[in-house]
């Protein structure tokens, strides 16, 4: 069975919902679909929660009313029979009453999570009703019955697999199985979620739990590009990526897929395919365990980087120096990205500079500290195993006119990263594209 996940824009209007229905029923084969909330809804629900935290029920009610009105108008457009219009209106009536009930309550993060969960609950009910109206044998499975996170907010994959398998067994013979992305229960059984954008994660967890043949993530982008299309001319969709390559790209700014989302699929060896809703027949990008030997696949960049250099003769031959340096970053919960070391110095980059001043003050106890701001990491991804001779030369050659502040190679077999000034980013990305892909 395939898992097909559709994001907020893909179910963003009645018209889009109809397209989703035709996409998922086209093959005639049993399919498991995971849906986000309609675009804008999760934000509206978060806004309602914010007003309720601030004890401002009037503004909360205003947003609730607007949202309700929008959904009621969707009903008229989506369904053609009175029967399904009535069923869905009754459902929405209950939903919005439920959301309104929180305007009288003491408001905590528990209530917020319950409110925010309603976006996916609504979209899945609407699409289920549409598919039923169209005569497809469809069942809506509540994610709250099988998606669970543990005390560390990590998905409990053993529980998910056991629960979902038994639910699927008890409900054999349907053509379409639908569930909500994003929402789950926590270790205490309360309604919770997998963080914003978490529907991709749901799809990957579901796919691995039911041992799907493929997990498809349908979006409004035509797959992963070999460079940033907003910056560089003539980028192309990458047809295939190894899971490791996809993770490197995701970390370094290709916003299309969060790296943790694909972990469950990766461990179960289930291919993930990125598909474009506007061109359903296009292949998109497939992410699997295959590694195309000696191929550079893509380039990505990460903006707003600050580089910090600590120079100290105490570092020479000393042990424990690095640990002390990194403990400072840890104590300010500041993740580090690139590192370069010499015998008497170390350079480290960070993206989050909220605690920069404090960090620098503490680092000064270890040596001379200097900072470069407005930097950018450019990352070249592919089969870059060190035994494949010559790839560093090709990429470095391309950067010959660009001042390079740091280079990182050998951290994994899949990337070479350069730290350059933000002002040189466009030039660097274009040069790399021209050299590596044209
Ligand atoms: N609806 C949630 C969000 O907007 C989850 C998702 O769409 O993936 O973040
Ligand atoms: Mg998304």
């Amino acid at each position: 069975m395939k898992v097909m996940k559709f994001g907020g824009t893909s179910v963003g209007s009645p018209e889009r919902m109809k397209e989703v229905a035709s996409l998922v029923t086209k093959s005639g084969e049993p399919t498991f679909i995971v849906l986000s909330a309609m675009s804008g809804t999760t934000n509206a629900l978060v806004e309602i929660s914010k007003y309720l935290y601030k004890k401002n029920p009037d503004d909360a009610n205003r947003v609730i009313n607007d949202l309700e009105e929008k959904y009621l108008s969707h009903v008229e457009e989506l369904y053609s029979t009175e029967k399904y219009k009535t069923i869905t209106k009754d459902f929405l009536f209950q939903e919005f009453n439920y959301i309104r009930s929180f305007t009288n309550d003491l408001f905590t993060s528990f209530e917020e999570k319950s409110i925010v969960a309603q976006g996916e609950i609504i979209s899945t009910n609407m699409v289920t009703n549409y598919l039923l109206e169209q005569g497809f044998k469809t069942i809506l499975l509540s994610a709250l019955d099988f998606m669970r996170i543990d005390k560390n907010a990590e998905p409990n994959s053993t529980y998910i697999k056991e629960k979902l398998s038994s639910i699927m067994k008890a409900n054999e013979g349907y053509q379409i199985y639908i569930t909500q992305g994003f929402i789950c229960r926590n270790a205490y059984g309360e309604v919770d979620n997998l963080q914003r954008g978490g529907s991709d994660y749901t799809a990957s967890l579901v796919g691995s739990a039911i041992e799907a043949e493929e997990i498809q993530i349908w979006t409004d982008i035509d797959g992963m590009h070999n460079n940033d299309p907003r910056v560089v001319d003539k980028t192309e969709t990458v047809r295939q990526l190894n899971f490791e390559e996809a993770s490197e790209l995701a970390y370094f700014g290709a916003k299309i897929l969060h790296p943790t989302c694909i972990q469950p699929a990766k461990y179960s060896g289930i291919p993930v395919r990125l598909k474009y809703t506007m061109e359903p027949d296009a292949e998109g990008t497939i992410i699997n365990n295959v590694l195309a030997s000696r191929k550079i696949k893509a380039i990505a960049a990460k903006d707003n980087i600050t580089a910090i250099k600590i120079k100290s003769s105490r570092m020479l031959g000393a042990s424990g120096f690095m640990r002390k340096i990194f403990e400072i970053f840890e104590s300010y919960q500041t993740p580090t990205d690139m590192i370069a070391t010499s015998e008497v110095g170390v350079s480290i980059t960070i993206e989050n500079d909220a605690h920069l001043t404090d960090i620098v003050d503490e680092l000064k106890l270890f040596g001379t500290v200097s900072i470069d701001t407005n930097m950018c990491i450019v990352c070249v991804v592919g089969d870059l195993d060190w035994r494949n001779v010559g790839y560093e030369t090709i990429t470095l050659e391309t950067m010959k006119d660009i001042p390079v502040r740091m280079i990182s190679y050998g951290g994994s077999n899949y990337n070479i990263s350069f730290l350059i000034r933000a002002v040189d980013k466009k030039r660097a990305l274009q040069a790399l594209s021209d050299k590596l892909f044209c």
Side-chain angles (χ1 to χ4, degrees):
M1 196 182 300
K2 282 188 178 137
V3 172
M4 297 170 86
K5 178 260 165 179
F6 294 88
T9 330
S10 305
V11 291
S13 66
E15 206 186 322
R16 288 296 195 92
M17 286 182 170
K18 289 180 189 177
E19 274 164 35
V20 165
S22 90
L23 284 172
V24 301
T25 52
K26 205 156 116 190
S27 70
E29 284 166 21
T31 305
F32 200 120
I33 71 174
V34 175
L35 301 181
S36 288
M38 293 179 86
S39 54
T41 298
T42 310
N43 285 345
L45 296 168
V46 169
E47 196 187 350
I48 293 166
S49 305
K50 286 211 171 103
Y51 286 130
L52 295 177
Y53 272 122
K54 289 190 216 146
K55 301 203 175 13
N56 178 354
D58 292 344
D59 278 321
N61 273 316
R62 180 179 49 77
V63 184
I64 296 172
N65 292 344
D66 289 351
L67 202 60
E68 183 177 31
E69 205 174 300
K70 203 164 90 186
Y71 274 101
L72 288 174
S73 76
H74 293 331
V75 170
E76 296 304 322
E77 265 185 74
L78 186 57
Y79 306 99
S80 48
T81 60
E82 280 314 311
K83 179 179 166 195
Y84 280 97
K85 284 184 188 175
T86 311
I87 292 176
T88 311
K89 274 189 200 155
D90 287 349
F91 160 75
L92 288 173
F93 181 72
Q94 281 173 30
E95 271 295 305
F96 282 93
N97 270 354
Y98 176 68
I99 297 172
R100 276 194 191 91
S101 72
F102 291 101
T103 55
N104 311 315
D105 261 10
L106 172 72
F107 206 74
T108 66
S109 78
F110 168 68
E111 274 79 18
E112 169 167 10
K113 282 170 177 162
S114 303
I115 287 195
V116 169
Q118 302 313 310
E120 272 73 11
I121 292 181
I122 296 177
S123 65
T124 46
N125 267 278
M126 286 174 68
V127 172
T128 303
N129 288 347
Y130 179 73
L131 285 164
L132 289 170
E133 184 182 56
Q134 298 299 306
F136 294 103
K137 205 163 176 236
T138 306
I139 183 165
L140 173 57
L141 306 176
S142 172
L144 300 180
D145 292 340
F146 61 88
M147 286 299 293
R148 197 173 265 250
I149 49 174
D150 61 21
K151 286 190 175 130
N152 303 317
E154 296 293 338
N156 182 340
S157 9
T158 317
Y159 179 93
I160 297 168
K161 191 177 174 86
E162 271 174 28
K163 265 288 195 193
L164 186 55
S165 304
S166 79
I167 292 172
M168 293 296 281
K169 229 192 191 118
N171 293 289
E172 275 174 6
Y174 285 89
Q175 182 180 346
I176 305 289
Y177 296 83
I178 303 194
T179 198
Q180 299 87 12
F182 177 58
I183 68 174
C184 62
R185 286 190 191 275
N186 60 27
Y188 313 100
E190 300 162 345
V191 175
D192 211 314
N193 60 59
L194 302 171
Q195 312 284 327
R196 295 302 305 269
S199 296
D200 293 346
Y201 208 179
T202 306
S204 177
L205 289 161
V206 164
S208 111
I210 66 166
E211 292 166 22
E213 78 193 73
E214 183 172 293
I215 298 159
Q216 299 184 341
I217 309 283
W218 288 75
T219 65
D220 46 2
I221 312 168
D222 57 344
M224 195 85 96
H225 276 235
N226 62 5
N227 206 330
D228 189 337
R230 292 163 305 182
V231 180
V232 169
D233 305 329
K234 293 190 255 161
T235 64
E236 275 174 19
T237 307
V238 183
R239 292 271 158 256
Q240 185 270 340
L241 285 170
N242 180 275
F243 279 115
E244 303 288 348
E245 294 171 327
S247 301
E248 297 282 2
L249 283 174
Y251 277 119
F252 284 95
K255 289 274 144 49
I256 181 162
L257 203 60
H258 195 277
T260 51
C261 291
I262 52 174
Q263 292 307 319
K266 179 182 153 186
Y267 291 135
S268 314
I270 298 168
V272 175
R273 192 183 286 277
L274 308 175
K275 293 279 285 179
Y276 184 32
T277 324
M278 294 303 179
E279 266 174 48
D281 295 327
E283 262 177 70
T285 302
I286 185 121
I287 305 168
N288 54 23
N289 278 323
V290 177
L291 181 66
S293 168
R294 293 165 183 273
K295 266 213 138 122
I296 293 184
K297 294 293 187 52
I299 297 150
K302 194 168 181 177
D303 298 320
N304 301 319
I305 303 294
T306 302
I308 303 163
K309 180 161 71 192
I310 306 108
K311 232 180 99 197
S312 167
S313 49
R314 276 163 55 196
M315 195 178 156
L316 194 66
S319 65
F321 186 85
M322 289 294 188
R323 178 177 54 77
K324 288 180 198 138
I325 300 279
F326 282 107
E327 266 172 6
I328 297 172
F329 289 91
E330 189 187 350
S331 69
Y332 289 100
Q333 293 183 352
T334 300
T336 55
D337 286 321
M338 273 175 86
I339 312 162
T341 60
S342 80
E343 284 306 323
V344 290
V346 52
S347 277
I348 295 167
T349 72
I350 59 171
E351 188 183 7
N352 170 4
D353 63 0
H355 301 289
L356 184 62
T357 322
D358 292 331
I359 291 173
V360 168
D361 281 349
E362 291 200 29
L363 288 173
K364 278 182 182 157
L365 302 174
F366 293 90
T368 322
V369 181
S370 58
I371 295 168
D372 293 296
T373 52
N374 296 322
M375 308 296 284
C376 137
I377 296 174
V378 169
C379 167
V380 178
V381 171
D383 175 26
L384 291 160
D385 188 298
W386 62 279
R387 284 155 292 211
N388 299 341
V389 181
Y391 287 90
E392 322 81 77
T393 323
I394 300 170
T395 44
L396 270 168
E397 171 74 19
T398 317
M399 308 290 266
K400 69 178 187 296
D401 297 324
I402 293 164
V404 174
R405 166 73 179 78
M406 278 164 77
I407 300 175
S408 174
Y409 176 55
S412 83
N413 285 342
Y414 310 96
N415 96 62
I416 302 180
S417 301
F418 300 96
L419 183 72
I420 59 171
R421 298 180 306 194
V423 286
D424 296 323
K425 171 177 150 178
K426 189 177 161 68
R427 211 151 57 96
L429 291 185
Q430 189 70 58
L432 283 165
S433 247
D434 293 347
K435 176 84 183 175
L436 299 170
F437 304 132
C438 288

